Amino acid sequence: MVTDKIRKYVLPNIPYLFIGWFCGAIVGMLTGIAIGFNKTFSYWVQPLVRVLGPIPSTAWIPIVLIAFPSAVSASAFLIALAVWFPTTVLTSSGIAAIPNAYFEVSSTLGAGSFYRIAKVGIPAAMPHMFLGLFNGTCSSFITLVTAEMLGAKYGIGRDMHIGDTIIGIKGRVGFEAAAPMLIIAAHKMLEKHTLTKWQTYWKDQVATWYGMFLHEAQYLEPVMRDIEAMLLSSQRNVTGTVELILRP
């Protein structure tokens, strides 16, 4: 029983947890090294890091759900963001804390810029870098748990569709599309306030045929352009603002 639950609920989260952590760690270390060794880069990027970094990664969930095409890529980005900030800050702080004598001695011995960065600066800043990675790992797990709790709380976007296929048998498809379903629900509410009764009726009739043609790979059929022209015409006066309230 426990093994089945682990396989069902825990294992699917591991890939994008690892991908997000790895990307956040790499980008965080590179950003911290650039801030620590390049004054121009530090001048322009460090204020941005200080302003955006303290914002909790979970606060970006609404924007990320719209900006990313799937829940997997959105989750990976949020985890990467949670790892990136502490890694960047502590890496740059570790480089700033290195005594200048280390660099002066290496320069005296003929070391170039790349050698001073790779053989002097980065090894000396390693304790701070690993501390940043440790803090980022903790934040990434918190982000992952928060995202999963939000999805489980509202149960939006996950559904099972059963319909007829083009070869005449029933087909079943499981999907997850929270953001599109919210947008569609909001748009339908706008249409209720802006379209006439007959516009709504014929739009729904035509949309059904459009979906069937599209499902049967008839996108290049000329009638599809005619249907699209009607659908676009029906949206001329559809505008406004919709507020969505999510409840468990």
Side-chain angles (χ1 to χ4, degrees):
M1 180 68 70
V2 175
T3 304
D4 293 338
K5 289 185 176 180
I6 292 175
R7 187 183 299 111
K8 182 177 181 181
Y9 298 108
V10 177
L11 293 182
N13 295 327
I14 293 178
Y16 56 85
L17 174 63
F18 176 77
I19 293 172
W21 184 90
F22 183 79
C23 293
I26 295 298
V27 176
M29 286 189 291
L30 292 177
T31 306
I33 292 170
I35 291 175
F37 286 104
N38 191 305
K39 293 183 178 180
T40 303
F41 186 85
S42 175
Y43 177 83
W44 290 106
V45 176
Q46 191 166 15
L48 188 65
V49 173
R50 298 294 182 180
V51 171
L52 298 180
I55 300 175
S57 55
T58 52
W60 296 95
I61 289 178
I63 299 175
V64 168
L65 287 176
I66 297 174
F68 284 83
S70 67
V72 174
S73 57
S75 300
F77 174 79
L78 289 174
I79 293 169
L81 190 64
V83 176
W84 166 77
F85 173 65
T87 305
T88 297
V89 171
L90 287 173
T91 299
S92 60
S93 299
I95 293 173
I98 299 174
N100 286 331
Y102 290 9
F103 298 107
E104 292 174 355
V105 170
S106 61
S107 297
T108 302
L109 296 175
S113 298
F114 178 79
Y115 187 93
R116 291 199 301 270
I117 294 173
K119 300 296 184 178
V120 179
I122 294 178
M126 277 291 180
H128 290 79
M129 295 170 68
F130 281 110
L131 182 59
L133 291 174
F134 175 78
N135 292 338
T137 302
C138 297
S139 300
S140 68
F141 277 104
I142 294 173
T143 302
L144 177 62
V145 171
T146 303
E148 291 295 327
M149 289 175 63
L150 287 174
K153 181 179 180 181
Y154 297 111
I156 295 173
R158 295 181 180 178
D159 202 354
M160 191 72 67
H161 172 72
I162 300 176
D164 296 296
T165 66
I166 60 176
I167 59 175
I169 63 174
K170 294 291 184 180
R172 183 175 65 177
V173 178
F175 65 90
E176 180 176 354
M181 293 186 70
L182 292 174
I183 294 172
I184 291 172
H187 191 79
K188 283 186 175 294
M189 186 58 63
L190 284 177
E191 289 184 332
K192 287 184 178 181
H193 289 80
T194 54
L195 297 183
T196 66
K197 178 181 69 174
W198 292 114
Q199 279 182 307
T200 302
Y201 173 81
W202 284 109
K203 176 180 174 293
D204 292 340
Q205 297 298 315
V206 171
T208 301
W209 283 100
Y210 188 89
M212 286 193 294
F213 277 120
L214 193 63
H215 183 257
E216 295 175 2
Q218 297 294 322
Y219 178 74
L220 298 180
E221 165 64 40
V223 74
M224 295 288 277
R225 309 290 82 77
D226 300 328
I227 296 175
E228 290 169 357
M230 177 186 173
L231 294 175
L232 288 173
S233 176
S234 69
Q235 301 298 301
R236 285 177 300 178
N237 298 321
V238 180
T239 183
T241 302
V242 178
E243 294 184 6
L244 297 175
I245 300 177
L246 307 181
R247 291 191 178 96

